[in-house]
């Protein structure tokens, strides 16, 4: 899990310095698709093609990339974008965060290559890797380009944090289509989940994606509405010390939104940060020593947590045994479904946190991603 944390931290650091100039797209008018929450992409339908536009999350108003999706490769499309024939028949997935969407759409069988295979949870994907149907192609920051070329997938779905680093430049040089999925830059959990419509467009499954997302939105909204009428709101915090630094969710981050929608109070709720707030254990003690609930630790037991730092005993949540991790669904090599299906299913994340904060609201629900630390 330490390696996973390091990789995710690298993503956040790299995101601050990556951008891409607008390709100067010229397009015909099409019928736009209404998106309810997602801000990072747009869809529109012309007579013979679908336009998928990805916006640059680091430069307001700038287009990151454009794709023209056709069902017949002879169709003429506007200049400045990439023409891709759909539905895709093969795909290299360069991030485990895309697997939840692909599974919901029934397209896992189109994956022919993956990166960072050890950190994949999805049992179907892991079995296909074991059967030789999916090739392991190194890690996301150091792909095995030679074997990628031999595999020759129709497209590579990748995140945009590494768009201009040397590894990504090498990917571009292969001539393969790079599909930039930047769901992690959305400002809301439902906005992130709505990227299922982006993924679905490349498989000609937009109708299915609409149906799936509508159900997720309804489930999420139902729980949120229930907690909004409660008079009691337990206090909550997350994370733990990592080499002297404790990263807390900013007030406008996904996690803070999850706490709010689950009917919990959070010290940094009024903060405007969308990412993390860096501190240390002393600052955490000042602000959260009396908090009721502690989530997001990396160990399975209170004993192991105490062994990493004896100061953890000073937290009320530790003393009362109200500490949880997100590790219920883990593979033997470290893959965690929280980072896979959790991206596409914020309704299940909300149910987990609500079950902790207000167990009477969901008496029959069992945790999907979370586990209460055992006391041994």
């Amino acid at each position: 899990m330490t390696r996973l944390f390091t990789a995710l931290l690298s993503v956040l650091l790299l995101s601050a310095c990556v951008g891409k100039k607008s390709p100067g797209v010229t397009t015909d008018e099409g019928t736009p698709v209404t998106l309810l929450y997602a801000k990072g992409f747009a869809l529109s339908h012309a007579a013979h093609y679908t336009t998928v536009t990805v916006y640059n999350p680091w430069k307001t108003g700038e287009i990151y990339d454009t794709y023209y999706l056709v069902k017949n490769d002879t169709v003429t499309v506007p200049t400045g974008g990439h023409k891709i024939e759909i539905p895709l028949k093969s795909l290299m997935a360069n991030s485990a965060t895309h697997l939840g969407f692909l599974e919901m759409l029934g397209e896992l069988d189109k994956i022919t290559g993956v990166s960072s295979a050890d950190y994949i949870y999805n049992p179907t994907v892991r079995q296909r890797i074991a059967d030789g149907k999916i090739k392991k192609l190194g890690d996301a920051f150091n792909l095995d380009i030679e074997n990628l070329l031999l595999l020759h997938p129709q497209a590579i779905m990748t995140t945009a944090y590494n768009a201009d680093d040397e590894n990504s430049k090498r990917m571009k040089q292969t001539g393969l289509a790079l599909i930039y999925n930047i769901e992690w830059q959305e400002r809301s959990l439902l906005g992130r989940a709505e990227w299922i419509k982006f993924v679905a467009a490349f498989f000609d499954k937009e109708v299915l994606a609409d149906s799936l997302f509508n159900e997720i939105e309804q489930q999420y909204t139902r729980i949120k509405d229930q907690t909004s009428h409660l008079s009691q709101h337990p206090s909550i915090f997350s994370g733990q010390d990592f080499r002297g630094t404790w990263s807390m969710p900013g007030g406008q981050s996904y996690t803070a939104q999850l706490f709010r929608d689950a009917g919990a109070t959070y010290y940094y709720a009024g903060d405007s940060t969308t990412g993390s707030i860096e501190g240390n254990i002393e600052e955490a003690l000042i602000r959260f020593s009396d908090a009721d609930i502690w989530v997001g630790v990396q160990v399975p037991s209170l004993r192991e947590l105490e062994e990493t730092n004896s100061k953890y005993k000073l937290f009320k949540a530790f003393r009362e045994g109200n500490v949880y991790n997100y590790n219920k669904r883990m593979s033997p090599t470290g893959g965690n479904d929280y980072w896979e299906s959790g991206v596409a299913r914020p309704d299940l994340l909300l149910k987990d946190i609500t079950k902790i904060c207000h167990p009477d609201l969901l008496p029959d629900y069992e945790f999907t991603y979370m586990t209460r630390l055992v006391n041994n």
Side-chain angles (χ1 to χ4, degrees):
M1 292 305 295
T2 298
R3 290 175 59 191
L4 178 58
F5 177 89
T6 302
L8 291 169
L9 183 60
S10 298
V11 167
L12 295 174
L13 292 174
L14 282 166
S15 69
C17 60
V18 176
K20 182 176 179 180
K21 294 182 179 180
S22 169
V25 174
T26 59
T27 182
D28 298 330
E29 290 292 331
T31 303
V33 174
T34 300
L35 299 176
L36 301 177
Y37 301 92
K39 307 297 182 184
F41 74 98
L43 297 169
S44 65
H45 297 297
H48 302 293
Y49 61 86
T50 295
T51 303
V52 182
T53 305
V54 179
Y55 297 116
N56 191 328
W58 304 285
K59 294 184 179 180
T60 304
E62 189 172 280
I63 292 174
Y64 203 92
D65 221 335
T66 303
Y67 308 94
Y68 299 111
L69 311 185
V70 300
K71 296 181 182 180
N72 185 332
D73 194 48
T74 63
V75 171
T76 300
V77 299
T79 61
H82 308 280
K83 183 167 71 171
I84 297 179
E85 188 171 0
I86 62 168
L88 291 178
K89 297 178 175 59
S90 62
L91 179 73
M92 186 270 170
N94 201 31
S95 173
T97 58
H98 306 154
L99 300 181
F101 296 127
L102 292 166
E103 180 174 39
M104 290 174 64
L105 293 168
E107 297 294 345
L108 290 179
D109 63 317
K110 302 305 189 299
I111 300 173
T112 56
V114 294
S115 63
S116 305
D118 285 347
Y119 294 104
I120 288 175
Y121 166 79
N122 188 282
T124 300
V125 174
R126 291 176 61 82
Q127 186 59 54
R128 289 178 65 82
I129 292 171
D131 293 342
K133 296 177 181 179
I134 295 177
K135 301 297 183 184
K136 296 192 286 187
L137 297 170
D139 65 64
F141 296 96
N142 188 28
L143 284 181
D144 184 341
I145 297 297
E146 181 178 354
N147 278 310
L148 177 62
L149 284 168
L150 291 173
L151 188 63
H152 198 72
Q154 189 178 351
I156 300 170
M157 184 165 288
T158 187
T159 46
Y161 55 80
N162 61 351
D164 287 332
D165 68 87
E166 291 303 317
N167 184 56
S168 189
K169 289 176 182 177
R170 291 167 62 215
M171 279 197 294
K172 291 178 183 178
Q173 290 170 356
T174 66
L176 298 170
L178 300 184
I179 299 172
Y180 291 109
N181 184 333
I182 321 180
E183 45 75 21
W184 63 281
Q185 278 288 312
E186 289 290 338
R187 298 295 181 90
S188 70
L189 289 161
L190 287 172
R192 198 178 189 191
E194 197 168 16
W195 279 70
I196 191 173
K197 299 177 183 179
F198 171 89
V199 177
F202 293 89
F203 295 95
D204 196 22
K205 287 189 172 181
E206 291 184 56
V207 174
L208 174 59
D210 286 343
S211 176
L212 292 169
F213 180 76
N214 289 342
E215 178 64 23
I216 290 168
E217 181 200 21
Q218 290 170 13
Q219 291 291 329
Y220 190 100
T221 303
R222 181 178 62 82
I223 300 299
K224 179 182 175 181
D225 288 345
Q226 285 182 286
T227 63
S228 67
H229 297 98
L230 298 173
S231 58
Q232 299 296 319
H233 303 279
S235 53
I236 194 169
F237 70 108
S238 71
Q240 67 182 82
D241 177 80
F242 181 76
R243 298 179 180 176
T245 299
W246 194 316
S247 296
M248 292 286 182
Q252 300 303 310
S253 66
Y254 307 134
T255 305
Q257 179 189 29
L258 202 59
F259 295 164
R260 181 170 58 251
D261 292 346
T265 61
Y266 177 53
Y267 178 85
Y268 290 116
D271 178 81
S272 61
T273 305
T274 57
S276 298
I277 299 171
E278 304 301 327
N280 54 43
I281 192 169
E282 287 74 22
E283 291 171 313
L285 279 166
I286 291 171
R287 294 172 176 85
F288 300 104
S289 61
D290 292 326
D292 300 303
I293 298 164
W294 182 1
V295 300
V297 301
Q298 299 298 325
V299 295
S301 72
L302 293 173
R303 177 183 57 79
E304 291 176 69
L305 187 60
E306 181 183 352
E307 287 175 353
T308 63
N309 195 319
S310 61
K311 292 181 180 179
Y312 289 147
K313 293 187 299 183
L314 301 176
F315 289 97
K316 171 188 172 182
F318 179 96
R319 296 193 302 272
E320 297 185 354
N322 292 322
V323 187
Y324 299 79
N325 62 36
Y326 291 102
N327 301 346
K328 183 176 180 180
R329 305 176 76 169
M330 295 275 295
S331 71
T333 56
N336 190 329
D337 199 32
Y338 172 76
W339 303 109
E340 293 180 21
S341 72
V343 174
R345 296 298 306 272
D347 55 323
L348 297 179
L349 293 178
L350 183 59
K351 285 182 179 181
D352 274 16
I353 299 295
T354 301
K355 177 74 173 183
I356 292 170
C357 296
H358 306 284
D360 292 342
L361 282 182
L362 300 169
D364 300 321
Y365 175 73
E366 295 185 4
F367 292 128
T368 302
Y369 305 105
M370 306 198 72
T371 300
R372 191 171 188 168
L373 268 62
V374 296
N375 189 5
N376 62 15

